[in-house]
Structure formats: structure tokens, C-alpha cells
Amino acid sequence: MGEGNTYLCKACACSSVSVFKSLSNEEHELLSSKLKCNFYKKGDILYREGSRITGCYCVQKGVLKIYKTGIDEKPQIVAFARPGDITGYRSVLSNEVACTTVEALEDSEICFIPSEIIFALIKKNSDFALSLIQLTCKELNQANSYIKDIAQKTVKERLAETLIMLYETFNVDAEGYITINLTREDLSSIVGTATESVIRILSELKSEGLLELKGKKIKILDLKKMKLISDSIF
Amino acid sequence: MGEGNTYLCKACACSSVSVFKSLSNEEHELLSSKLKCNFYKKGDILYREGSRITGCYCVQKGVLKIYKTGIDEKPQIVAFARPGDITGYRSVLSNEVACTTVEALEDSEICFIPSEIIFALIKKNSDFALSLIQLTCKELNQANSYIKDIAQKTVKERLAETLIMLYETFNVDAEGYITINLTREDLSSIVGTATESVIRILSELKSEGLLELKGKKIKILDLKKMKLISDSIF
DNA sequence: CGGAACTTTGACACGTCTCAAATGCCGTGG
DNA sequence: CCACGGCATTTGAGACGTGTCAAAGTTCCG
């Protein structure tokens, strides 16, 4: 729960990336002057499902996992947030309690943007409003696709799909391993399966020569075949 | 594929319900003057996944099913649209090809709203923009919830959940049967399972005294118990 | 009235989950 | 620095849910 020092953040990633690109100079000023950055340690919770939040969060540095809590407290990861991404805007804009829990996967640096600013910008700048709409539309479409996949694909196909998504979202380190530190349990919370199934299928994919495993680290050896599996083409 | 007569629609449901409630009188005028209504027969396709659409659709009368096409052309229903609902706005706003196919479940009357109007209204009226954002946020949250459910619940639990959703969305007729005509296959395309499983579990729920079945028609006898099942509490 | 589409039932195979136990890894505190 | 305890990972065995295929029955609609 620690949140370290708060400092004013003049020119953080938030103002240069993502939905804020349509802001005028003046509006950027307004935004920057109101931002507060915080440090979060790995495992810290930014906010919990059901709590009321008073602004949204823009990732400067680090990675967040965003999940809903299901049966028996089992989490279902619905998204990640990387530098440049914002989260919490849904609850802010709909003026409802948070519908997900957000947790830092690594030590992170996060800007807080008070609700008023968001609303003011929407009122002032219709391009910004449009950007926000397009952002939510894109996420909505991804969510619908995932519903289709999770309903129709096998666990192996979904795991392949998830690994490809992680590969494309987080890139790889010098050795070719995907640059994100997820436990097997985290993986199962994305794929929507049991942890043991993830483990078994990972080693199956390894024995088929498609993956290399080193502890938690995963390297995709044959992206093409992985895509075939993910697309149920075998 | 028939689309019947087109007529100008001065004061249709679209202008009184849903996201358009924040429009000024003047804007209502503008909107109404540009609307074109069409009739669609049961089974008609409004547009297909992958096609480019030039406006969005507002349901006056009837019901639409909205689905994505998956493995082996198997459809996955992601939403319905009833009178007052609009569809297609996602693709319009993101300026992308349609990400779903939309089909009339009954004979329907649908207004077409050209893209320009939508964009003009967003530019002019920030409250309208905000309404649109809130609409997409709500749908996004529902989609995320459904991801969690489909990943964690059994078919029986999801079927119960689906029936409750249909009950709450479409109400019941004089005899208490849910007012929507879905085939067992449609049901399986919502729940994300095989048609035979739907059939088996429906009759299981019937034999448990929770449902009454008359052809395609379904009556919920014990809503409370259905909710318990849906919530995995037995 | 006839044919097509939809529904139902049964048998069977397979994927996936659960539970249990063994092993490995890592950080904490002595 | 090492030993300990706890947590994550791995493996196995068995049960159960669900999907598939096939065939018969039913309903719907032209």
C-alpha cells in the first residue's frame, strides 16, 4: 500500500503520448500543472474494485495489471497498462466505483490526473473527447474479440494467443525473452484456466520446439507456428 | 437482404431515448432532418463484419443480434440492440470497418444516422460526447465482466446468467415467457458452448423446477434459485 | 402436404480441473 | 553467509464436464 513521495510532474509521458496528443499547448500546460506523480512498489495496489476513485492514472514507468475478481476470489486479468497508457478513466467518466483492481507488476511511477481535469478537457476540446471515445471503442472491440476467443478456443490456443499478445505488447530482452515478469498463476488468470494447465501446456509447447523456458522467462522460438496454433489451424 | 422502403423519419425513438437526450432542440432538429428509416425483415443483415459502414443504426422497433464470427464460422453473440439502442457507432467513430455482424431477429424498423451527423454533434455538444463515452464505458465494463464469467463459470452457470439477462432485458409476455425468439443455437452462441449442451442443461433446469419450456419459449419459475446458480452458489 | 431447419437424445472420447505430493526457488532473519 | 520457511512450480492420477457425432423426432413454413 505504500505510495512513496508525491511530486509535481511537469512533463511526464502522459502529456506526450496516448490520448493527450490532441491537446493544445495551453491545455498541456493546464494538465501538467495539475499532475501528481507517485512511486509504487511491485505488488502495490493502486485501487480496488468497488472503491471510489477521484481521478485516473497514467503510467510513466513500470507495468500495471488490471483485473476483476471472480469466483472464490479468483482474479481475471482483463488488461495491462504500460508507459503512456491510462487507467481508471472508465470509472471517472461514468462516475461509478472502480470496476477493476489495479496492481503494480514492477516498481512503477504513476501520474494521477484529477477527474475535474478530464471533464474540463472534454468540455473544451472535442478532439480530445473523440480520442477518448476511440480509445474506449478500441478496448471494447478487443474485449469482444476476447469473449469470442475464450468461448471458442481451447486452452492451448488461448495460451498461444496470450503469449503472442505479451510478445507484441512487451517486446523481448537481449536474449529474446519476453520482457514481463508474470507468474504461472498470472498467466492462468489471463487465459482463464487452471495454473496446472498453463504449466503443462507450456512444457508441451516447449517440447514441440516452439518455446524456450528459463524460470519465469519465456522465449518464443517459432512465432509463425504459434500463430497457427492461436488461430486453430494446427 | 431486403430493406424495404426508405422514409424520412421526423420524430423517431432515436431522438427521445438513449444517448441523444443531451441534445438541444436545435440539434434535435438537425438530427431528425437527416435520419432515414428502413424496414428489415427477420433474418436480414444490416451489415457484416469487415464491411465499411457510413453511419450508425438506431433501433426504432424490433431486435437486433450483434455477433462476431469465430472458428468454423461459428458466431459469438456479443450484444443485442432493442428500441432506443444504437449500433455501429464504434466503427464510425474509429473510422474502421465493422467489427461485428448485425442481423434482425424480428421484423424491425431501423434509423440510419450518417457519420457526419455524429461527428458534428460531438464537436458541437460536449455533453453528447460525454454520453457517448459513458455508453462505451458501460459496454466495456459489461464485456470485461463477461470475459471473467465465461472464463470462470461452468456452462450451467453461464446459461442461468444468460437467461436472467434475457429476462431482464426483454421482459416477459402475459404468460410469463421471456419475450425473445432465440433458437437453441442462438443461445449457445451467447453462452459460448455447444447447442446440445444448452438443450441438455435447459431440460435439467426444467426438471429442477426452475424453468418452464414451451417450444422456443422459456419461462423462469424461480428467479432466486436461478441467480444462485448464476453466482456459483448452488 | 412436404421438405428443410431445428430440437432432442444417446454414446463416447477427450480436454480440463481438482487434489495431492514432491521439488525447486527466493528472501528473511539469525 | 547459511538455514529456514514460505511460496511458486512441477508432475501424476483420477474424476468430471463438455464437445462431437450420429440418428431420430419435431416444428415450422412455403
Side-chain angles (χ1 to χ4, degrees), chain A residues 72-105:
Chain A
D72 293 331
E73 300 293 290
K74 195 176 177 196
Q76 176 68 38
I77 296 180
V78 296
F80 293 99
R82 286 180 315 148
D85 292 338
I86 61 176
T87 179
Y89 64 92
R90 258 182 282 176
S91 312
V92 165
L93 293 168
S94 312
N95 195 30
E96 288 176 357
V97 295
C99 53
T100 50
T101 301
V102 176
E103 176 185 332
L105 271 180

Side-chain angles (χ1 to χ4, degrees), chain B residues 170-180 214 217-219:
Chain B
F170 295 101
N171 298 320
V172 294
D173 62 19
E175 293 178 88
Y177 289 93
I178 298 171
T179 320
I180 185 177
K214 195 164 85 178
K217 293 277 176 192
I218 299 173
K219 189 202 288 193

Side-chain angles (χ1 to χ4, degrees), chain A residues 154-156 192-194 196-197 200:
Chain A
T154 64
V155 172
K156 187 173 183 180
T193 187
E196 296 95 325
S197 296
R200 270 185 255 270

Side-chain angles (χ1 to χ4, degrees), chain B residues 125-170:
Chain B
N125 184 336
S126 68
D127 284 337
F128 173 69
L130 189 57
S131 299
L132 261 186
I133 296 178
Q134 289 174 345
L135 177 64
T136 53
C137 287
K138 207 183 99 202
E139 288 188 29
L140 182 52
N141 186 32
Q142 286 171 351
N144 281 333
S145 281
Y146 200 57
I147 287 176
K148 183 197 66 189
D149 291 341
I150 214 166
Q152 300 193 354
K153 290 183 176 180
T154 65
V155 172
K156 186 172 182 180
E157 290 161 358
R158 274 182 278 147
L159 180 56
E161 179 181 15
T162 298
L163 292 176
I164 294 170
M165 179 275 286
L166 293 172
Y167 169 82
E168 289 172 344
T169 311
F170 295 101

Side-chain angles (χ1 to χ4, degrees), chain A residues 155 184-185 188 193-203:
Chain A
V155 172
R184 302 286 130 116
E185 202 181 345
S188 76
T193 187
T195 308
E196 296 95 325
S197 296
V198 166
I199 290 167
R200 270 185 255 270
I201 296 172
L202 277 179
S203 66

Side-chain angles (χ1 to χ4, degrees), chain A residues 28-187:
Chain A
H28 261 139
E29 283 296 313
L30 170 66
L31 178 63
S32 299
S33 71
K34 294 297 176 56
L35 291 179
K36 293 241 176 74
C37 275
N38 279 314
F39 293 104
Y40 293 87
K41 291 192 79 72
K42 177 178 175 173
D44 283 353
I45 305 279
L46 274 74
Y47 56 84
R48 280 181 203 282
E49 196 173 344
S51 63
R52 197 157 280 284
I53 57 181
T54 58
C56 48
Y57 299 79
C58 178
V59 181
Q60 274 270 58
K61 197 167 138 297
V63 181
L64 308 178
K65 75 172 173 187
I66 303 171
Y67 59 90
K68 280 181 166 283
T69 304
I71 323 288
D72 293 331
E73 300 293 290
K74 195 176 177 196
Q76 176 68 38
I77 296 180
V78 296
F80 293 99
R82 286 180 315 148
D85 292 338
I86 61 176
T87 179
Y89 64 92
R90 258 182 282 176
S91 312
V92 165
L93 293 168
S94 312
N95 195 30
E96 288 176 357
V97 295
C99 53
T100 50
T101 301
V102 176
E103 176 185 332
L105 271 180
E106 333 170 335
D107 294 353
S108 300
E109 211 174 317
I110 314 287
C111 281
F112 178 79
I113 309 169
S115 307
E116 313 89 73
I117 307 290
I118 303 287
F119 282 113
L121 289 175
I122 290 176
K123 215 165 199 72
K124 247 188 206 168
N125 185 335
S126 67
D127 285 337
F128 173 69
L130 188 56
S131 299
L132 262 185
I133 295 178
Q134 289 174 346
L135 178 65
T136 53
C137 286
K138 205 181 103 202
E139 289 189 30
L140 182 52
N141 186 32
Q142 286 171 350
N144 281 333
S145 281
Y146 200 57
I147 288 176
K148 182 198 67 189
D149 291 341
I150 214 166
Q152 299 193 355
K153 289 183 176 180
T154 64
V155 172
K156 187 173 183 180
E157 290 161 358
R158 274 181 279 149
L159 180 56
E161 178 182 16
T162 298
L163 292 176
I164 294 170
M165 179 274 287
L166 293 173
Y167 169 82
E168 289 173 344
T169 310
F170 296 99
N171 298 320
V172 295
D173 63 19
E175 293 178 89
Y177 289 93
I178 298 172
T179 321
I180 185 175
N181 235 325
L182 294 177
T183 65
R184 302 286 130 116
E185 202 181 345
D186 282 332
L187 270 178

Side-chain angles (χ1 to χ4, degrees), chain B:
Chain B
M1 283 289 171
E3 51 182 66
N5 295 322
T6 294
Y7 65 94
L8 240 123
C9 150
K10 281 280 178 206
C12 71
C14 317
S15 23
S16 62
V17 212
S18 69
V19 291
F20 297 110
K21 60 184 176 301
S22 44
L23 298 187
S24 70
N25 287 336
E26 186 194 356
E27 288 160 349
H28 261 139
E29 282 296 314
L30 171 66
L31 178 63
S32 300
S33 70
K34 295 296 174 59
L35 292 179
K36 293 241 176 73
C37 276
N38 279 314
F39 292 104
Y40 293 86
K41 291 191 80 73
K42 176 177 177 173
D44 282 353
I45 305 280
L46 274 74
Y47 57 84
R48 279 182 203 282
E49 196 172 345
S51 63
R52 196 158 281 284
I53 57 182
T54 59
C56 47
Y57 298 79
C58 178
V59 181
Q60 273 268 61
K61 196 166 138 299
V63 181
L64 308 177
K65 76 171 171 186
I66 302 171
Y67 60 91
K68 280 181 166 286
T69 304
I71 322 288
D72 295 330
E73 301 293 288
K74 196 177 175 193
Q76 176 69 38
I77 296 179
V78 295
F80 293 98
R82 285 179 316 147
D85 293 337
I86 60 176
T87 179
Y89 63 93
R90 260 183 281 176
S91 310
V92 164
L93 293 168
S94 310
N95 195 31
E96 288 175 357
V97 295
C99 53
T100 50
T101 301
V102 176
E103 176 185 332
L105 270 179
E106 332 170 336
D107 294 353
S108 299
E109 211 174 316
I110 314 287
C111 282
F112 177 79
I113 309 169
S115 306
E116 313 90 72
I117 307 292
I118 303 287
F119 283 113
L121 288 174
I122 290 175
K123 213 163 200 71
K124 245 188 205 165
N125 184 336
S126 68
D127 284 337
F128 173 69
L130 189 57
S131 299
L132 261 186
I133 296 178
Q134 289 174 345
L135 177 64
T136 53
C137 287
K138 207 183 99 202
E139 288 188 29
L140 182 52
N141 186 32
Q142 286 171 351
N144 281 333
S145 281
Y146 200 57
I147 287 176
K148 183 197 66 189
D149 291 341
I150 214 166
Q152 300 193 354
K153 290 183 176 180
T154 65
V155 172
K156 186 172 182 180
E157 290 161 358
R158 274 182 278 147
L159 180 56
E161 179 181 15
T162 298
L163 292 176
I164 294 170
M165 179 275 286
L166 293 172
Y167 169 82
E168 289 172 344
T169 311
F170 295 101
N171 298 320
V172 294
D173 62 19
E175 293 178 88
Y177 289 93
I178 298 171
T179 320
I180 185 177
N181 234 326
L182 294 177
T183 64
R184 301 287 129 114
E185 201 181 346
D186 283 332
L187 270 178
S188 77
S189 298
I190 309 172
V191 175
T193 187
T195 308
E196 296 93 326
S197 295
V198 166
I199 290 167
R200 269 184 256 271
I201 296 172
L202 277 180
S203 67
E204 190 182 327
L205 288 168
K206 179 184 168 184
S207 74
E208 291 172 13
L210 303 183
L211 293 184
E212 213 168 291
L213 304 173
K214 195 164 85 178
K216 290 195 206 312
K217 293 277 176 192
I218 299 173
K219 189 202 288 193
I220 295 181
L221 292 176
D222 193 332
L223 189 58
K224 242 179 199 164
K225 277 194 191 159
M226 287 291 283
K227 285 191 176 169
L228 291 182
I229 290 177
S230 156
D231 292 340
S232 332
I233 314 184
F234 291 18

